[in-house]
Amino acid sequence: MTGPDSGVLYRLDLTDVDVMSVLSELDEGVIIADHKGRIIYYNKKQAQIDDIAPEYALGKTITELYHLSEESSMILRCMRTGEPIKGHLFFYRTRLGRVANTIHSVFPLTRKGRVIGAICFVKDYNLLEKTITSTSVLIPKKRRQLGNGTRYNFTDVIGGDPEFLHVLKMARLAADSPSPIMLCGETGTGKEVFAQSIHNYSARHSGQFIGINCAAIPENLLEGLLFGTARGAFTGASDKPGIFEQASAGTLFLDEVDSMPVGLQAKLLRVLQEKKVRRVGSSEEIDINLKILSSVNTEPHRAIKEGILRMDLFYRLGVVYIRIPPLRERKADIDMLTRHFIYKNNLILNTHVQYLSEPVRDLFHEYRWPGNVRELAHVIEGAMNLIGQEETLRENHLPEHLMLHTRSSDSNRPLSRPALPKAPQTDLPISISEVEPTRSGSPPVQNLPEDQKDREKGIIEEALRKARGNISRAARSIGISRQLCHYKMKKYRIDRTAYVD
């Protein structure tokens, strides 16, 4: 190499480089531990994340500094297996009480093939979300828009299961290909998230992403919506571009394409083959240039056999076929997803949940999650609306349907799963056996969400009645914050003046 001034060739010798000064200035935390788990390096950013002075941390073991065990510590696990851990969403607590939600990447340090320590890079998840998305990302209905019709990137996809990671790799590899991609997955597995992420990972990311649910639009409207209309095609028709034209130079996502009428599937096939579209009522053909993504809820060959999906359309749309596994097939990801949803809801609802009781963790792993990731997100959100200021999510916070379904299950096999932070032993979790079993003669709940709303509304009204309309006193009596109580009153249109003497 040539020096910038001298013009003399020199060789870079890493033994002469002050690497530690570089690590100390990184904008992410760095921890280096020796083979015994003792911290020998701890940079300034990590000190900020943990709210711990570096001199306090140095020399302590991982388990002395954090509420972690040999199994739950990423650093100790990395040294034990000798395998790197990349991009792991991690929720932990220091021995001094600081709670952190982070993304960990840990790499073993070796000498002559032997692991002698580990280096851990830590990103503050809270800060990362604020930087990338602003705080509006925390509320799904007001989630950030990326300016091209999308809200999601691959960074929004959470999972570490090997099969799931393989699916992610396939999606990334196929993103820049002009070939159509078909996503197959049950409701709630995240097909829309995958579709938008593929668009944003592709060279077409600056173009528009347009998604259409083929099952939600009446047949008589779907053709005009897809292909556009020409003036005079029918009474009141005007020249209007269809979705194929609007998505040109971008991506079109046909969600639940197996719900499209078979006759319309034939017209769609022609458009895909010719790469031209003809508006309804027009003889003129318009060239289109777009990426086609599609999804089906049922296995394609089964849909073909049942006559709801044309075989030739499947072969055209499914050039790249990606099956997204349901949550019951990636149970190792349940803890990671649970941490993620608890963290987000803590910020939204001003709650302080830090633990899962052991029965709830077991229940989450034994339940089959027919609604997949979406159902898990809704269950946690619902539970945290009822948890008040408690730190541990327990069975009595969960919706009744989850308990009923779990009790009827005969699945008792042991499950291997990564640990979440455990509730303190002084804070005993509720046992399943302590919950009163449902009597066989009890009438079934006709509408579970409405029943839950009625019970919640009744509890708040009774608390207000006893507190004579004093919101602060009513909130304290039922174990929630005044802010949350006020939010619930507004949601259920409860007027506190009705309870004032």
Side-chain angles (χ1 to χ4, degrees), residues 155-216:
T155 53
D156 294 301
V157 182
I158 296 171
D161 176 83
E163 182 184 348
F164 188 70
L165 291 177
H166 177 66
V167 168
L168 275 175
K169 182 179 180 181
M170 288 175 59
R172 286 192 179 97
L173 289 173
D176 258 341
S177 165
S179 302
I181 300 174
M182 177 176 281
L183 304 169
C184 177
E186 299 174 5
T187 298
T189 51
K191 297 185 293 294
E192 172 104 14
V193 177
F194 265 79
Q196 293 187 16
S197 299
I198 288 170
H199 173 73
N200 285 321
Y201 198 74
S202 74
R204 297 175 178 268
H205 64 272
S206 59
Q208 281 296 301
F209 174 94
I210 298 180
I212 180 171
N213 189 326
C214 300

Side-chain angles (χ1 to χ4, degrees), residues 474-487:
R476 283 197 301 272
S477 70
I478 57 178
I480 64 175
S481 67
R482 187 184 189 283
Q483 181 184 8
L484 182 57
C485 187
H486 192 271
Y487 165 78

Side-chain angles (χ1 to χ4, degrees), residues 278-348:
R278 183 185 298 165
R279 294 183 184 179
V280 176
S282 172
S283 59
E284 180 185 353
E285 290 189 326
I286 302 169
D287 292 329
I288 55 171
N289 170 28
L290 46 75
K291 173 90 168 181
I292 300 287
L293 307 179
S294 62
S295 77
V296 290
N297 286 336
T298 57
E299 199 279 326
H301 289 94
R302 176 182 164 192
I304 292 168
K305 187 176 181 181
E306 293 175 355
I308 59 175
L309 179 65
R310 289 177 59 110
M311 181 181 293
D312 47 6
L313 182 63
F314 165 63
Y315 289 131
R316 173 65 64 177
L317 289 176
V319 175
V320 178
Y321 176 75
I322 298 176
R323 177 184 177 271
I324 304 174
L327 189 54
R328 64 180 174 274
E329 292 181 11
R330 41 183 290 230
K331 296 239 174 148
D333 287 344
I334 289 177
D335 285 343
M336 188 184 298
L337 289 162
T338 299
R339 279 191 293 266
H340 175 74
F341 295 134
I342 285 176
Y343 166 72
K344 285 198 167 186
N345 282 287
N346 271 336
L347 295 179
I348 296 168

Side-chain angles (χ1 to χ4, degrees), residues 218-229:
E219 180 178 352
N220 60 333
L221 298 179
L222 187 57
E223 183 175 2
L225 192 63
L226 284 173
F227 306 134
T229 56

Side-chain angles (χ1 to χ4, degrees), residues 109-124:
L109 300 174
T110 61
R111 179 185 294 152
K112 296 180 179 180
R114 183 177 178 182
V115 176
I116 60 171
I119 183 169
C120 176
F121 298 94
V122 182
K123 294 179 182 178
D124 187 330

Side-chain angles (χ1 to χ4, degrees), residues 73-303:
S73 167
M74 296 293 102
I75 291 176
L76 298 179
R77 185 192 305 177
C78 175
M79 288 194 289
R80 186 171 63 251
T81 63
E83 297 292 331
I85 299 170
K86 300 178 183 178
H88 188 96
L89 190 64
F90 195 46
F91 186 95
Y92 67 85
R93 187 177 188 178
T94 71
R95 294 287 178 183
L96 298 182
R98 175 80 165 201
V99 175
N101 208 64
T102 60
I103 297 175
H104 273 43
S105 291
V106 193
F107 303 89
L109 300 174
T110 61
R111 179 185 294 152
K112 296 180 179 180
R114 183 177 178 182
V115 176
I116 60 171
I119 183 169
C120 176
F121 298 94
V122 182
K123 294 179 182 178
D124 187 330
Y125 189 69
N126 186 10
L127 181 61
L128 185 66
E129 283 219 330
K130 288 179 180 177
T131 302
I132 296 174
T133 66
S134 83
T135 54
S136 63
V137 70
L138 302 172
I139 307 175
K141 291 183 181 178
K142 297 181 180 178
R143 198 177 172 106
R144 89 280 189 187
Q145 297 288 333
L146 301 181
N148 59 358
T150 68
R151 303 177 300 183
Y152 302 106
N153 280 302
F154 279 120
T155 53
D156 294 301
V157 182
I158 296 171
D161 176 83
E163 182 184 348
F164 188 70
L165 291 177
H166 177 66
V167 168
L168 275 175
K169 182 179 180 181
M170 288 175 59
R172 286 192 179 97
L173 289 173
D176 258 341
S177 165
S179 302
I181 300 174
M182 177 176 281
L183 304 169
C184 177
E186 299 174 5
T187 298
T189 51
K191 297 185 293 294
E192 172 104 14
V193 177
F194 265 79
Q196 293 187 16
S197 299
I198 288 170
H199 173 73
N200 285 321
Y201 198 74
S202 74
R204 297 175 178 268
H205 64 272
S206 59
Q208 281 296 301
F209 174 94
I210 298 180
I212 180 171
N213 189 326
C214 300
I217 301 172
E219 180 178 352
N220 60 333
L221 298 179
L222 187 57
E223 183 175 2
L225 192 63
L226 284 173
F227 306 134
T229 56
R231 185 182 299 276
F234 50 85
T235 303
S238 60
D239 286 320
K240 186 176 180 181
I243 287 177
F244 274 97
E245 291 179 63
Q246 295 173 41
S248 194
T251 299
L252 174 61
F253 176 45
L254 300 171
D255 194 12
E256 298 188 42
V257 71
D258 50 332
S259 298
M260 182 183 290
V262 175
L264 193 55
Q265 289 183 27
K267 296 181 180 180
L268 174 60
L269 180 63
R270 181 182 176 279
V271 171
L272 297 176
Q273 290 172 334
E274 303 295 331
K275 296 184 179 179
K276 297 178 184 291
V277 66
R278 183 185 298 165
R279 294 183 184 179
V280 176
S282 172
S283 59
E284 180 185 353
E285 290 189 326
I286 302 169
D287 292 329
I288 55 171
N289 170 28
L290 46 75
K291 173 90 168 181
I292 300 287
L293 307 179
S294 62
S295 77
V296 290
N297 286 336
T298 57
E299 199 279 326
H301 289 94
R302 176 182 164 192

